[in-house]
Amino acid sequence: MLSVRGEDEAADDEYLAMMRFGGLDTTSLRRIRLTHRPMGPVDLADWSGVILGGGPYNISDPADTKFPEQRRAESELLALIERMVEQDFPFLGCCYGVGTLGTVIGATVDRTYTEPVGGVRVSVTAAGRDDPLFADLPDAFDAYGGHKEAATDLPPGVPCLASSPDCPVQAFRVGENVYATQFHPELDIHGIHTRITVYKNHGYFAPESAEELKKAARQWDVRHPQTILRRFVERYTRPA
């Protein structure tokens, strides 16, 4: 698991959620916090798959507005994701994965389709109905999200697996095994409350609205997105 969250509370909660919903533990899910250290060499043959969490980075922001840590992390991530696309290596990028994977494959990533922090109604596309991670999910389900950038369009041959009223690309797949979701498959009500608390001064929403957003988040029935995370782990995990 690659993390781009510098804030300990949010980063630790994300890691715990990935383990809980993925059926993993600290011995089977190794975390590298790219905000704290370089990625280092990664031999994909050593791993079953790679999960990228979300965070406050935006791949589409002008380079001169990014801190050195973000520029370094993005350089490492884009190089690794390019290798994974070339090898069709199992990858699941959550939220920030749309920006990074989208950039590698030539998708348009910008601020056309932002969504506020909170619940979102996600609809599975026809292509999603045939995908092993999305198969048997309801035609529409509730999820948690919130993002400043998104994929406006995808290159030919890259299927969109899910969409929402305000964001046409909520999930897509490259090849057979490389995935990105705009919504967060690891988030439950506890997780979204933690994110609201930690990021209330990061420009996603007016800080004074934090408690109302937490209250509103309780109105959504978010219990299906975690299935996608679990299926990814079950599909690709192999013995060490």
Side-chain angles (χ1 to χ4, degrees):
M1 175 184 165
L2 302 173
S3 170
V4 293
R5 297 189 187 278
E7 304 79 14
D8 289 344
E9 184 179 3
D12 291 345
D13 184 75
E14 179 183 60
Y15 184 41
L16 290 170
M18 293 289 189
M19 288 190 288
R20 183 168 68 254
F21 294 121
L24 300 166
D25 57 28
T26 55
T27 64
S28 53
L29 183 64
R30 179 188 174 192
R31 176 175 60 161
I32 300 176
R33 295 185 67 182
L34 297 177
T35 52
H36 289 55
R37 50 155 286 192
M39 184 186 299
V42 176
D43 185 346
L44 294 176
D46 293 338
W47 305 98
S48 298
V50 173
I51 296 172
L52 172 63
Y57 291 171
N58 292 290
I59 197 84
S60 61
D61 285 346
D64 60 359
T65 68
K66 299 177 181 180
F67 290 110
E69 293 82 3
Q70 180 178 354
R71 292 197 293 271
R72 186 258 303 156
E74 287 182 351
S75 175
E76 295 172 333
L77 280 169
L78 293 177
L80 177 63
I81 293 172
E82 185 173 1
R83 281 202 286 141
M84 291 191 287
V85 169
E86 290 173 350
Q87 298 180 33
D88 200 15
F89 184 83
F91 171 74
L92 177 62
C94 308
C95 192
Y96 186 52
V98 168
T100 49
L101 177 58
T103 296
V104 166
I105 65 172
T108 300
V109 178
D110 56 28
R111 297 198 177 206
T112 302
Y113 296 109
T114 63
E115 286 181 306
V117 172
V120 59
R121 189 68 170 168
V122 175
S123 297
V124 180
T125 66
R129 290 265 63 91
D130 294 329
D131 184 86
L133 300 193
F134 285 78
D136 301 326
L137 289 179
D139 290 339
F141 58 86
D142 291 348
Y144 289 127
H147 52 96
K148 298 177 182 178
E149 66 179 7
T152 299
D153 55 47
L154 298 171
V158 176
C160 177
L161 305 177
S163 65
S164 67
D166 295 322
C167 185
V169 180
Q170 279 287 344
F172 63 91
R173 188 188 71 244
V174 181
E176 296 298 322
N177 304 304
V178 181
Y179 290 87
T181 67
Q182 190 64 77
F183 60 91
H184 286 272
E186 84 285 359
L187 273 186
D188 59 5
I189 187 62
H190 169 80
I192 191 67
H193 279 194
T194 298
R195 304 274 174 90
I196 290 170
T197 297
V198 172
Y199 293 112
K200 69 178 181 179
N201 293 309
H202 281 65
Y204 291 99
F205 52 85
E208 62 272 16
S209 68
E211 293 307 313
E212 282 302 313
L213 288 175
K214 290 180 183 179
K215 182 179 178 181
R218 295 188 180 278
Q219 307 307 310
W220 297 81
D221 182 18
V222 178
R223 54 192 171 91
H224 294 291
Q226 297 85 0
T227 300
I228 297 166
L229 177 59
R230 186 180 71 251
R231 285 180 177 172
F232 178 82
V233 171
E234 292 173 348
R235 181 174 175 81
Y236 296 113
T237 297
R238 53 186 169 82

